[in-house]
Amino acid sequence: IQVLNPREDYTTIAQYSTGNGSNPQDIVVISQKKAYITRYQYKGLLVADPLGSGWKKVIDLGDLSDADGIPEMAYMLLIGNRLFIAIQRLDSTNWYVPTDYSLIAVINTDTDELVKTIRLTGLDPFTPLIYDPANQRIYVGSMGYFGVDDGGVEAISVNLANDTYTPLGIIIGEDVLGGDI
């Protein structure tokens, strides 16, 4: 990770590794002292000090993995103190094809603990997570299998007041979107 200062001609103010071969996918900065980094090839979500020494700790999400032991964490979204993480669950031993299901993991950023998982209808959530506060919904695109009409845009109803998240399934499918995503 390289932290740049745009006010000083984009000079580097911090730089650190996320781990050899970790393949970082996304970063969500909570404050000058805390950021989360998804690492595609590791089972742990990295908690970092973005302006300091780098790593603070790792949140083990290995229990969310498929048989290969890696959850394939991708994009994240922060709403209040809840961090939503797309867990793709792909088979790294078979060309990264989707396995039986995919998830959204929900982390409490105050405690750094996994508080919920949301099982998706679609497989392989591959787009940034989008939050629509007016309708209290998160939207995510799922790719699914090539040649099978199983992908599309999925919605999740969000109720932050009572910490409930209800998957609504695919609301726009590949058939409407014109074929494989």
Side-chain angles (χ1 to χ4, degrees):
I1 301 294
Q2 183 178 16
V3 182
L4 306 174
N5 185 342
R7 293 187 189 112
E8 294 183 15
D9 202 26
Y10 295 95
T11 56
T12 299
I13 55 177
Q15 185 172 336
Y16 50 91
S17 172
T18 60
N20 288 339
S22 64
N23 193 0
Q25 296 291 300
D26 199 3
I27 185 167
V28 170
V29 178
I30 304 294
S31 70
Q32 290 186 358
K33 295 285 185 187
K34 189 175 191 179
Y36 294 92
I37 303 165
T38 53
R39 302 176 302 163
Y40 208 68
Q41 300 304 123
Y42 284 26
K43 64 180 181 175
L45 176 67
L46 182 62
V47 183
D49 178 352
L51 296 179
S53 60
W55 296 33
K56 291 173 81 170
K57 67 179 173 178
V58 174
I59 301 170
D60 185 354
L61 297 179
D63 288 346
L64 305 181
S65 302
D66 57 291
D68 68 10
I70 307 294
E72 287 87 23
M73 293 175 277
Y75 289 105
M76 296 182 285
L77 171 70
L78 180 67
I79 305 173
N81 70 343
R82 294 297 188 253
L83 182 68
F84 297 83
I85 307 166
I87 306 293
Q88 294 176 326
R89 294 176 43 88
L90 306 176
D91 184 355
S92 64
T93 65
N94 185 23
W95 303 98
Y96 290 91
V97 297
T99 58
D100 51 350
Y101 62 92
S102 297
L103 299 166
I104 300 293
V106 185
I107 301 286
N108 180 328
T109 61
D110 296 332
T111 64
D112 291 335
E113 293 179 1
L114 176 69
V115 293
K116 302 263 185 189
T117 59
I118 305 162
R119 190 167 174 162
L120 298 174
T121 300
L123 300 173
D124 192 6
F126 75 100
T127 64
L129 306 174
I130 305 295
Y131 180 57
D132 175 5
N135 293 308
Q136 296 184 319
R137 290 196 174 150
I138 295 173
Y139 298 100
V140 60
S142 292
M143 192 176 333
Y145 294 103
F146 178 75
V148 178
D149 186 18
D150 61 349
V153 178
E154 187 157 352
I156 301 164
S157 177
V158 175
N159 186 330
L160 295 172
N162 65 8
D163 214 17
T164 58
Y165 314 100
T166 307
L168 302 175
I170 294 177
I171 58 170
I172 302 173
E174 288 179 329
D175 57 337
V176 174
L177 296 171
D180 272 324
I181 295 179

